[in-house]
Amino acid sequence: MSIQTVGIIGAGTMGNGIAQACAVSGVNVVMVDISEAAVAKGVATISGSLDRLIKKEKITEDDKAAALARIKGSTSYDDLKDAQLVIEAATENFDLKVKILKQVDALLDASVLIASNTSSISITQLAAMTTRADRFIGMHFFNPVPMMALVEIIRGLQTSDATHAAVHELSTRLGKSPITVKNAPGFVVNRILVPMINEAFFVLAEGLATAKDIDAGMVLGCNQPIGPLALADMIGLDVCLAVMEVYLNEYGDSKYRPCPLLKEMVAAGQLGRKTGRGVYAY
């Protein structure tokens, strides 16, 4: 099956980023959010992002106009009926996602594929909440979507080969480099990344090096664009802690125990950039 129109639920950071990636690749988009203001903000964000690409001479004014013409903003799920694939990109909240997915599942034709852009919630579990578990899949895009090449394609226990093939083909058409992952907490990237961040906190807590030197070591020694502690401040220390607690709970392996220093800093409200203070001061 060839996907020509993609429905996107959510016009926030991830939703509008996915919409932009689709539109510039010639795929029609219906982007739905709960209010006209949210939809307008999403479209304005895309417009601004395309302007930056024009300045860098990556695209032309005509390319921008063509991309924006492919995006239809809406506040009604009814407008998703023309899509062959609907991507849910709502907030990372299980109950909210289930509510949205049940509404959309009841509305769409049985042939339509549904994907979730979740970064942590079980695809198998979400799929089971719909009547089309075989046509349900995870598409975990990375932020900022227009710039990041990776898409994790997550197969739930029930996902069919045909669903996987259609979504893999679309991801490639969007200029992305997809990797295929079985459903498990953290999938692949966050499963490796967040424990690495947690280990950096252990190194810091043990006084082996300063935060600045730990980050410099990973940037200069492992060619990472940003050190793990600075990255934790960007992600939010509370988010890092919550992810480690999920891993510890789901896998039952002590290697996922959160570093006590990380727990202490979260308890102190030092969550990173969003609070002005984390490992570093902002």
Side-chain angles (χ1 to χ4, degrees), residues 17-83:
I18 298 166
Q20 179 179 325
C22 290
V24 297
S25 303
V27 178
N28 294 318
V29 174
V30 180
M31 184 169 67
V32 178
D33 212 313
I34 52 172
S35 69
E36 295 284 359
V39 173
K41 188 180 176 188
V43 173
T45 301
I46 295 167
S47 181
S49 177
L50 295 173
D51 284 339
R52 288 191 290 279
L53 292 175
I54 291 169
K55 275 187 185 167
K56 292 177 184 172
E57 299 184 344
K58 298 274 179 78
I59 65 170
T60 65
E61 288 280 2
D62 286 348
D63 292 334
K64 177 189 173 181
L68 288 176
R70 291 188 191 103
I71 300 170
K72 175 182 179 179
S74 173
T75 56
S76 172
Y77 287 162
D78 283 338
D79 288 326
L80 297 170
K81 286 181 176 176
D82 292 333

Side-chain angles (χ1 to χ4, degrees), residues 42-263:
V43 173
T45 301
I46 295 167
S47 181
S49 177
L50 295 173
D51 284 339
R52 288 191 290 279
L53 292 175
I54 291 169
K55 275 187 185 167
K56 292 177 184 172
E57 299 184 344
K58 298 274 179 78
I59 65 170
T60 65
E61 288 280 2
D62 286 348
D63 292 334
K64 177 189 173 181
L68 288 176
R70 291 188 191 103
I71 300 170
K72 175 182 179 179
S74 173
T75 56
S76 172
Y77 287 162
D78 283 338
D79 288 326
L80 297 170
K81 286 181 176 176
D82 292 333
Q84 291 84 47
L85 166 71
V86 171
I87 302 172
E88 170 273 309
T91 309
E92 197 71 349
N93 175 297
F94 178 76
D95 292 336
L96 175 66
K97 287 186 186 292
V98 168
K99 183 184 170 190
I100 290 169
L101 290 170
K102 282 182 178 291
Q103 284 179 293
V104 172
D105 180 48
L107 189 72
L108 298 174
D109 184 81
S111 65
V112 179
L113 309 180
I114 300 180
S116 175
N117 178 54
T118 181
S119 58
S120 65
I121 297 170
S122 166
I123 295 301
T124 296
Q125 197 176 2
L126 290 176
M129 301 293 163
T130 74
T131 59
R132 63 189 79 213
D134 60 322
R135 293 182 297 289
F136 193 96
I137 200 163
M139 284 185 88
H140 180 209
F141 290 83
F142 287 74
N143 189 24
V145 178
M147 309 296 293
M148 298 292 276
L150 181 66
V151 180
E152 282 183 316
I153 299 178
I154 303 108
R155 298 188 66 148
L157 191 64
Q158 320 91 319
T159 306
S160 71
D161 290 343
T163 299
H164 173 263
V167 169
H168 193 282
E169 188 275 331
L170 173 70
S171 301
T172 306
R173 220 186 321 149
L174 300 185
K176 303 301 181 189
S177 300
I179 63 171
T180 299
V181 182
K182 287 181 183 174
N183 184 63
F187 311 135
V188 164
V189 174
N190 288 337
R191 168 84 175 271
I192 297 168
L193 177 68
V194 184
M196 183 194 74
I197 289 171
N198 191 53
E199 195 63 28
F201 275 93
F202 274 114
V203 171
L204 180 64
E206 289 164 22
L208 298 184
T210 64
K212 200 173 170 186
D213 283 353
I214 292 166
D215 279 349
M218 295 305 288
V219 169
L220 301 172
C222 297
N223 211 22
Q224 294 183 354
I226 182 173
L229 298 171
L231 181 58
D233 277 354
M234 275 181 66
I235 294 168
L237 271 58
D238 53 335
V239 175
C240 295
L241 175 59
V243 170
M244 288 306 297
E245 286 172 338
V246 166
Y247 294 171
L248 184 63
N249 183 46
E250 293 286 330
Y251 292 112
D253 189 328
S254 64
K255 74 179 180 182
Y256 295 115
R257 72 200 183 286
C259 175
L261 175 62
L262 175 61
K263 293 169 83 168

